[in-house]
Amino acid sequence: RFFCRLKQFRRLATRYEKLATRFNAFLQLACAYIWLM
């Protein structure tokens, strides 16, 4: 269920960020957002 909620963020699903550090930063931000909801 958690991964389905992560796929709602288009930037994560399509790998919009090309740099690994930016992708990881947005992934952590999205995880924190889901965890707080």
Side-chain angles (χ1 to χ4, degrees), residues 8-30:
Q8 291 177 354
F9 293 94
R10 185 176 175 180
R11 293 176 75 165
L12 290 175
T14 59
R15 186 69 192 259
Y16 183 75
E17 304 290 343
K18 298 302 179 194
L19 297 177
T21 54
R22 290 185 184 172
F23 179 76
N24 191 21
F26 190 76
L27 178 65
Q28 291 177 0
L29 185 65

